Amino acid sequence: MSVEVITIILVLITFAIYTGIGWWSRVRDTSNFYVAGQGIPTVANGAAIAADWMSAASFISMAGLVAFLGYDGTIYLMGWTGGYVLLALLLAPYLRKFGKFTVPDFIGDRFYSSSARAVAAIATIFISLTYISGQMRGVGIVFSRYLQVDIIVGVLIGMAIVGFFALLGGMKGVTWTQAIQFFVIIIAFLIPAFAISFQLTGNPIPQLALTTSDMVDRLGQLQIDLGMTEYMAPFTNLSMINVFMVSLALMAGTAGLPHVIVRFYTVKSVRAARWSAVWAIIFIGLLYLTAPAVGAFAKYNLIDTIADQPLDEVRNIDWVNKWETTGLLQLEDKNGDGIVNFTGGDDNEVVIDGDIIVLSTPEVANLAPFIIALVAAGGLAAALSTASGLLITMTSAVSHDIYYRIFNKEASESQRMRVGRITLLVALAIAAYVGINPPGFAGEVVALAFGLGAASLFPVILLGIFDKRMNKEGAIAGILAGLGFTLLMIGAILSPTILGTDEPILESFFGINAQGVGVVGMVLNFIVSFIVSRMTPEPPKEIQELIEHVRAPEIDE
């Protein structure tokens, strides 16, 4: 059987499992729809958190970012892993002890204000829409390659599948599906990693092969010989200030991501929330400690396969021909010499979308068709798991935090579910559009969401837990200042993609790119929140006592 047939069979089998879980766990009430009835076991919740975290950006795009950015690409490893530790240790237990459904729920009650709740819900929608757009692009890439259809069709197929899972099972169905998807994701990532590591170095352990072999030196020399920058040379693709700012934006943004934070509400207690975090860190580490090796090995194999080879022979390679069909790999004989010139200059004749690095690696390495199919199934599982969680987060922000808690407190369960599902369909349509017209790699698009999270919700959550003097006026002003500034800067810097301008309105913000400008918004948020809260009345006494209770350690629960 061909790779495409095996892939379709494997994807259908995994989808049948996901669908069965969704049907088994279908919900009819808002508690199960939003927080899975708070009855998920810690190990399963840890696996679901890891699957939610290891999105298309992690599975499909991160190794590609490391492959193309080299040393500078490690910001994504440091930012995303460091940020999760920050979230797990600093915020998650306190938020779970507060006991609300969502992040806007926490902000609305902590700051005793419907306006604060509404502003937080709007921030949640912006963050989640940006994040899910990267996932839809990942789904589209997988389907476009293995169904041999245009990426637009691939995104639309993915949109229909994601909508089905989320509409049927809510958070309960999504959580149990994600727990299974984690194991599909990690197996699909590790098996080809072990195979290509053994093929290139004779060592099947990617981390050891990367650090004990000469592969990085060989890749660096190969790039230099072809006119590119040395692979491990620092600050060649990103300036020093951007390496720092993007890393910090990813860390702080992680602690402000609503779809990750809500995971700690799906367990029974604060203690269970802590253990969920421990399991999630273990599960996440399996992929994140492997990605640097996959990025380096995949790039070496790719360049070594097609660089300086006759163009006709390269185009006859099966995987090259099929990826060219998707438009994500382009070959052009600019100088007419019939040879593929893979360089870092204007004469480069190879255009590779960074999001195909992981997906194409098994094919480039001539691995077994089943492994190629497994990677495709893993990529879909990664994108679908995160997209489903994001959709539930957005629907809860609209139907629970805005519609029910602000506009219609008498709304019945069925009314709230109906509003939530309508919101989900609208969000899907917007996410699909941005997935078809992305402003960058899936990982770069997702990084924008982290910047928005760092600039809007992270400062207010942190101050809401550790600063009793923080009040509703400070929270509202801080979120609006941080979110408004960051949205304006991202729009200006990425205006050709977002607004359709011929040139960017701003090249950068004093040298800081779109992925890192959220840190400036975060600092602005902290400053505005602190100043405004000190210039306005302090919170009611009962709110200050509530914060004291939330911060008190729990011996057992």
Side-chain angles (χ1 to χ4, degrees):
M1 288 188 290
S2 68
V3 170
E4 289 75 20
V5 172
I6 296 173
T7 300
I8 291 171
I9 292 172
L10 192 57
V11 167
L12 288 175
I13 291 172
T14 56
F15 277 16
I17 295 171
Y18 305 154
T19 304
I21 293 171
W23 182 258
W24 165 75
S25 56
R26 63 192 184 279
V27 298
R28 295 182 178 86
D29 61 84
T30 52
S31 175
N32 276 294
F33 192 80
Y34 296 136
V35 290
Q38 297 186 329
I40 304 298
T42 55
V43 177
N45 201 47
I49 292 170
D52 215 352
W53 189 243
M54 294 188 300
S55 62
S58 293
F59 186 97
I60 296 175
S61 193
M62 186 171 63
L65 288 167
V66 173
F68 277 86
L69 298 178
Y71 175 94
D72 300 337
T74 57
I75 58 174
Y76 292 93
L77 299 168
M78 295 185 295
W80 282 331
T81 50
Y84 191 79
V85 175
L86 175 68
L87 169 63
L89 297 180
L90 194 60
L91 301 183
Y94 303 105
L95 291 170
R96 176 61 187 85
K97 189 173 180 181
F98 204 91
K100 296 300 176 180
F101 271 15
T102 64
V103 171
D105 235 1
F106 165 78
I107 291 175
D109 285 8
R110 162 61 181 88
F111 296 109
Y112 49 96
S113 168
S114 294
S115 297
R117 184 190 307 278
V119 170
I122 291 169
T124 295
I125 293 167
F126 273 110
I127 294 166
S128 300
L129 271 178
T130 307
Y131 205 125
I132 199 175
S133 300
Q135 312 314 308
M136 297 310 298
R137 175 163 172 78
V139 172
I141 289 171
V142 175
F143 279 125
S144 68
R145 163 61 184 89
Y146 295 102
L147 296 181
Q148 291 293 283
V149 296
D150 187 84
I151 191 168
I152 296 175
V153 177
V155 170
L156 294 176
I157 294 172
M159 182 180 76
I161 294 170
V162 172
F164 172 78
F165 289 135
L167 282 169
L168 183 67
M171 184 59 80
K172 184 179 179 182
V174 166
T175 300
W176 282 110
T177 301
Q178 286 177 332
I180 300 300
Q181 285 171 330
F182 163 74
F183 293 100
V184 175
I185 292 167
I186 202 63
I187 291 170
F189 196 85
L190 292 181
I191 287 179
F194 294 153
I196 192 171
S197 175
F198 183 75
Q199 185 183 83
L200 292 179
T201 70
N203 187 335
I205 309 301
Q207 297 86 347
L208 294 178
L210 182 69
T211 54
T212 61
S213 73
D214 64 346
M215 272 304 306
V216 173
D217 293 334
R218 287 160 60 190
L219 175 57
Q221 188 59 52
L222 180 60
Q223 291 199 172
I224 291 172
D225 292 343
L226 292 172
M228 305 180 194
T229 57
E230 204 279 320
Y231 184 69
M232 287 302 292
F235 316 126
T236 56
N237 295 287
L238 292 173
S239 64
M240 186 183 295
I241 184 66
N242 277 312
V243 167
F244 174 78
M245 297 297 271
V246 175
S247 296
L248 185 54
L250 297 176
M251 287 184 186
T254 298
L257 285 183
H259 77 286
V260 174
I261 292 173
V262 75
R263 287 284 168 214
F264 297 100
Y265 295 129
T266 61
V267 292
K268 296 178 180 179
S269 65
V270 176
R271 186 171 185 269
R274 291 194 182 98
W275 276 106
S276 292
V278 171
W279 281 109
I281 291 172
I282 293 171
F283 292 146
I284 290 168
L286 292 174
L287 187 145
Y288 272 61
L289 292 174
T290 309
V294 172
F297 295 165
K299 189 172 188 183
Y300 178 86
N301 219 24
L302 186 66
I303 295 175
D304 192 51
T305 300
I306 64 176
D308 295 335
Q309 301 299 313
L311 179 61
D312 290 340
E313 291 183 13
V314 170
R315 280 208 164 114
N316 284 330
I317 299 173
D318 187 57
W319 67 266
V320 172
N321 181 268
K322 288 174 179 176
W323 279 110
E324 266 200 292
T325 301
T326 69
L328 300 171
L329 172 65
Q330 299 173 32
L331 303 176
E332 179 185 0
D333 190 7
K334 292 181 179 179
N335 59 12
D337 65 355
I339 302 297
V340 176
N341 295 301
F342 199 145
T343 72
D346 294 336
D347 59 339
N348 179 48
E349 297 177 343
V350 183
V351 178
I352 302 174
D353 190 303
D355 288 335
I356 76 170
I357 288 293
V358 169
L359 294 173
S360 65
T361 291
E363 295 178 282
V364 180
N366 290 316
L367 301 183
F370 177 77
I371 296 179
I372 298 172
L374 186 62
V375 171
L380 285 174
L384 293 174
S385 63
T386 303
S388 301
L390 287 163
L391 284 171
I392 298 300
T393 301
M394 279 187 284
T395 57
S396 65
V398 174
S399 63
H400 176 75
D401 296 308
I402 296 178
Y403 173 70
Y404 172 60
R405 295 300 300 270
I406 297 176
F407 292 110
N408 188 3
K409 294 184 179 180
E410 305 301 321
S412 64
E413 289 274 348
S414 60
Q415 286 176 314
R416 292 155 62 188
M417 292 284 287
R418 190 180 308 115
V419 171
R421 284 172 169 149
I422 292 171
T423 303
L424 188 149
L425 293 174
V426 173
L428 259 179
I430 297 172
Y433 173 80
V434 182
I436 293 169
N437 302 281
F441 293 169
E444 292 174 319
V445 175
V446 166
L448 298 175
F450 283 78
L452 293 174
S456 58
L457 297 181
F458 172 67
V460 176
I461 295 172
L462 188 66
L463 292 173
I465 295 171
F466 295 103
D467 181 9
K468 291 194 298 182
R469 185 62 178 79
M470 183 69 175
N471 62 14
K472 63 181 180 181
E473 292 85 2
I476 294 170
I479 293 175
L480 290 175
L483 180 63
F485 170 84
T486 306
L487 283 173
L488 285 174
M489 289 300 104
I490 290 175
I493 296 170
L494 300 178
S495 58
T497 300
I498 297 174
L499 303 176
T501 60
D502 293 332
E503 298 291 335
I505 296 173
L506 284 178
E507 291 293 336
S508 65
F509 180 77
F510 295 99
I512 302 170
N513 66 15
Q515 282 75 29
V517 78
V519 173
V520 182
M522 178 183 72
V523 173
L524 180 63
N525 188 332
F526 273 119
I527 293 172
V528 170
S529 298
F530 186 84
I531 292 175
V532 172
S533 66
R534 266 55 183 182
M535 295 175 62
T536 49
E538 67 179 27
K541 185 177 180 181
E542 60 269 21
I543 295 295
Q544 298 188 47
E545 291 174 350
L546 176 62
I547 296 305
E548 289 283 3
H549 168 72
V550 169
R551 293 200 312 228
E554 293 286 337
I555 303 302
D556 193 13
E557 186 178 337

